[in-house]
Amino acid sequence: ERLNTAPSQHSCIIVYFYWFYAIRIPTVSTSRTDQNTTALRDFNDLLRKAFPTVFSSHLVQHEVVANYSHLFWVPGSDLALVPYMLLAHIDVVPAEESDGWDAPPFSAKEIDGFIYGRGTIDNKQSVMGILQALEYLLIRGYSPQRGFFIGLGHDEEIQGLHGAMNIVKLLKKKGVQLAFVLDEGLAVLDGVITGLQGPAALIGISEKGHATVKLSVSMAPGHSSMPPWESSIGILAGAVKRLEDNPMPRLFGEGPERGTFEHLAHKFGLPLKFVMSNMWLFSPLLGRVMERSPETNAFVRTTTAVTMFNAGVKTNVLPSQAEAYVNLRIHSSQSLQEVLDLIQSIVGDERVKMELMHGFDPLPISSYDETSFGFQIIKKTVLDQFPQVTVAPGICIGNTDSRHYTDLTKDIYRFAPTWFRPGDAQRFHGINERISKKNYEELVGFYFNLIQNCDIKDLPSPHSAVHEL
């Protein structure tokens, strides 16, 4: 029998007490060598206090990984069913109130029904939401038919090299293979896509690739009273300017973004409905329109962002060294090597040395057709909870811990039912990050229902009624 999601008023008070506390713990990852490990220890203690049933249940196996990450295993009663995995991360990016926050970023202050704080949408809402759902299920005597893992990383914001990667190593040693993985990524967009009628839930089926490239110029130092015709700064500035003036090729429609618009086409009015329904013909035109905005240009091509520029130590000394760092997010239809070759060609100056600091190819595209178990279960859970929403596949322009799990499954999805309205995307890693109390409750309900929905053995026929799930 399916379990009721409605918690008591008393349990709601407890839920919010620990949710506020979770935001107040500054689990900040600044760099690979700078993490607030005291806060991470405090957060570990919080989890045990907030979810006593999860940590005491004979059904749940728990392991601390790399000191601060967590791996949970909830075995299913039907061993023939391939397990799945839910991911989230504990760490957050830095935040300073002086940047312009309406409330201190680690205060969890409530303003007009919204909880403000770093981590409210990236990604403590999923950390707490997943475990709260499991806590409710266990209290009600639930035992799954299909087993599942929960992985909570502690260093996702700095590449997940210790948390996620060590969790994956453990699972590989145990010979684990997964039906699918669900991590953070995309969200429910309401009023964000111009011309779309109603909200859309985009489930990420891939991620753009990533590269950080260092460009440098070395010259003999000298006195500023006798400057050469070109300085190291001038040469490097010219290279950077050429990169900005010559963006990577327009590739809209050649990756999974095409499927996004085809799924949403029926929710646009004319003439957009006609355009979206015929992407084979109109992709070039749509790409030229979308590249006019930085937000949508990210779906059109590999983006190029110069993020650091360093040179000089004194006002009257010609610098011997100038260096710039370029961050690239690689379109699904390109490879890392293709992008590096293009940079070399665009810079076109042998005096500018190029060094790849780190990078990887775009992630494989997960299945999203009518036979795709993971995608269809997530879709069903979304539509049961939000029947007014249109569900479509999407592409993540950022990267998540899930990229480390490609050896364990062919289907990785990136989604949480966090609602984004106009302007909310800028809160992600920005100021005034927030989530409504209502939306947090919806997140708990989503994971509560998703876990139960995964207990079926096979998807029903595509032509069967939805309720048969």
Side-chain angles (χ1 to χ4, degrees):
E1 183 182 350
R2 188 172 189 83
L3 299 177
N4 191 335
T5 63
S8 68
Q9 185 178 2
H10 175 68
S11 64
C12 279
I13 293 171
I14 295 173
V15 167
Y16 279 112
F17 173 80
Y18 287 117
W19 168 232
F20 293 159
Y21 193 6
I23 299 305
R24 289 172 184 150
I25 300 176
T27 52
V28 173
S29 291
T30 302
S31 70
R32 293 186 191 178
T33 56
D34 185 3
Q35 273 195 286
N36 189 339
T37 53
T38 300
L40 288 170
R41 283 193 292 271
D42 290 344
F43 199 90
N44 289 354
D45 293 339
L46 166 71
L47 292 181
R48 286 173 168 79
K49 293 175 184 175
F51 310 113
T53 312
V54 170
F55 283 89
S56 64
S57 171
H58 70 279
L59 185 65
V60 180
Q61 299 173 27
H62 169 248
E63 191 169 352
V64 175
V65 180
N67 297 319
Y68 311 108
S69 289
H70 296 265
L71 175 62
F72 300 88
W73 163 235
V74 187
S77 58
D78 188 343
L79 300 180
L81 299 182
V82 180
Y84 61 98
M85 189 162 191
L86 305 176
L87 301 181
H89 66 88
I90 295 165
D91 62 325
V92 300
V93 295
E96 298 292 338
E97 186 176 359
S98 58
D99 291 338
W101 284 71
D102 293 340
F106 296 101
S107 67
K109 184 176 180 180
E110 183 179 350
I111 303 175
D112 298 329
F114 286 87
I115 309 305
Y116 281 70
R118 180 62 86 221
T120 50
I121 59 174
D122 182 26
N123 178 239
K124 288 179 179 176
Q125 87 281 23
S126 290
V127 171
M128 301 298 282
I130 291 168
L131 291 182
Q132 188 63 67
L134 180 56
E135 181 83 1
Y136 281 150
L137 286 165
L138 293 171
I139 288 171
R140 287 158 172 75
Y142 172 77
S143 179
Q145 294 179 50
R146 184 185 298 271
F148 61 95
F149 293 90
I150 298 171
L152 307 179
H154 74 274
D155 59 349
E156 188 273 348
E157 299 293 359
I158 48 174
Q159 314 260 333
L161 302 182
H162 296 287
M165 286 191 71
N166 279 304
I167 290 174
V168 169
K169 285 180 184 176
L170 272 175
L171 295 177
K172 280 185 174 181
K173 281 183 180 178
K174 296 175 181 179
V176 170
Q177 283 293 302
L178 301 167
F180 70 92
V181 165
L182 176 62
D183 197 3
E184 63 167 339
L186 298 182
V188 181
L189 307 183
D190 187 11
V192 174
I193 303 175
T194 302
L196 184 70
Q197 299 167 1
L202 301 186
I203 300 170
I205 57 170
S206 183
E207 297 175 13
K208 296 184 82 172
H210 181 109
T212 296
V213 173
K214 182 171 84 168
L215 302 177
S216 60
V217 176
S218 298
M219 297 182 70
H223 197 276
S224 62
S225 62
M226 297 176 288
W229 298 120
E230 288 184 286
S231 66
S232 60
I233 293 176
I235 293 168
L236 185 57
V240 166
K241 187 68 167 64
R242 287 191 293 278
L243 278 178
E244 292 188 332
D245 288 346
N246 297 275
M248 294 288 162
R250 189 187 304 115
L251 297 168
F252 184 76
E254 297 182 28
E257 69 279 354
R258 178 170 178 168
T260 304
F261 288 92
E262 289 175 340
H263 274 71
L264 297 177
H266 68 287
K267 285 291 184 175
F268 286 91
L270 292 172
L272 282 176
K273 179 186 288 188
F274 180 72
V275 171
M276 303 296 184
S277 300
N278 293 277
M279 291 289 286
W280 62 274
L281 178 61
F282 291 108
S283 285
L285 173 63
L286 198 56
R288 282 193 289 272
V289 172
M290 293 181 70
E291 70 182 356
R292 296 174 185 172
S293 163
E295 288 81 5
T296 50
N297 180 56
F299 297 95
V300 172
R301 57 167 47 85
T302 294
T303 53
T304 307
V306 182
T307 53
M308 295 174 67
F309 198 112
N310 304 314
V313 293
K314 203 169 184 288
T315 57
N316 63 348
V317 176
L318 296 168
S320 61
Q321 184 83 7
E323 61 183 31
Y325 288 84
V326 184
N327 186 261
L328 302 109
R329 303 302 173 112
I330 303 169
H331 189 274
S332 295
S333 63
Q334 279 188 308
S335 68
L336 172 61
Q337 190 57 53
E338 287 172 338
V339 168
L340 295 177
D341 292 344
L342 279 167
I343 293 173
Q344 196 83 64
S345 175
I346 292 168
V347 168
D349 189 333
E350 293 182 353
R351 297 172 296 180
V352 180
K353 293 181 180 178
M354 183 179 80
E355 180 183 355
L356 175 65
M357 307 306 292
H358 57 83
F360 50 85
D361 286 322
L363 275 292
I365 298 171
S366 301
S367 65
Y368 59 96
D369 61 16
E370 291 179 331
T371 64
S372 171
F373 182 84
F375 187 89
Q376 293 301 330
I377 289 292
I378 298 165
K379 178 180 178 180
K380 175 206 164 34
T381 308
V382 171
L383 291 177
D384 283 350
Q385 191 168 6
F386 308 108
Q388 76 276 29
V389 161
T390 304
V391 177
I395 176 78
C396 283
I397 58 176
N399 297 116
T400 69
D401 268 347
S402 68
R403 67 186 176 88
H404 298 296
Y405 288 77
T406 52
D407 287 343
L408 301 181
T409 181
K410 64 181 179 60
D411 285 328
I412 297 174
Y413 303 103
R414 301 123 180 125
F415 173 80
T418 310
W419 282 66
F420 278 23
R421 294 178 172 85
D424 284 343
Q426 285 70 40
R427 301 178 192 275
F428 194 86
H429 284 202
I431 64 170
N432 291 327
E433 184 179 346
R434 69 182 192 180
I435 191 171
S436 72
K437 291 177 71 174
K438 177 187 175 186
N439 195 190
Y440 178 65
E441 292 171 9
E442 290 168 340
L443 273 151
V444 175
F446 171 80
Y447 292 116
F448 186 98
N449 293 325
L450 178 71
I451 290 169
Q452 293 182 83
N453 286 342
C454 285
D455 278 341
I456 62 168
K457 183 176 182 180
D458 297 303
L459 288 171
S461 164
H463 302 292
S464 299
V466 174
H467 71 266
E468 288 184 20
L469 270 175

